[in-house]
Amino acid sequence: MKIIDRQHSFYKPLWRRVAIVAFVAGWLVFEVTVSREPLWIAGAGALLAYAVWVFLINWPKETGGQS
């Protein structure tokens, strides 16, 4: 089951994918520093790990005609 449809055109620009990862990282920082709730910290950490994996590490490389 896919949570994120990587074929959707919204996710194509790199800046959007980086912005999503940065937002989730900010959420994790908030949970660690302000709320200090272990369940929310674990959830935000897991979501950050998933977002980094899907949007940055495992994103299909673009094969353009540029040399």
Side-chain angles (χ1 to χ4, degrees), residues 7-43:
Q7 302 298 334
H8 198 283
S9 61
F10 178 81
Y11 299 116
K12 186 170 176 118
L14 176 63
W15 72 267
R16 284 189 184 151
R17 292 181 277 132
V18 170
I20 291 169
V21 170
F23 177 80
V24 177
W27 177 31
L28 178 60
V29 168
F30 170 80
E31 294 297 341
V32 168
T33 59
V34 177
S35 78
R36 298 184 179 153
E37 289 289 331
L39 181 64
W40 285 106
I41 292 171

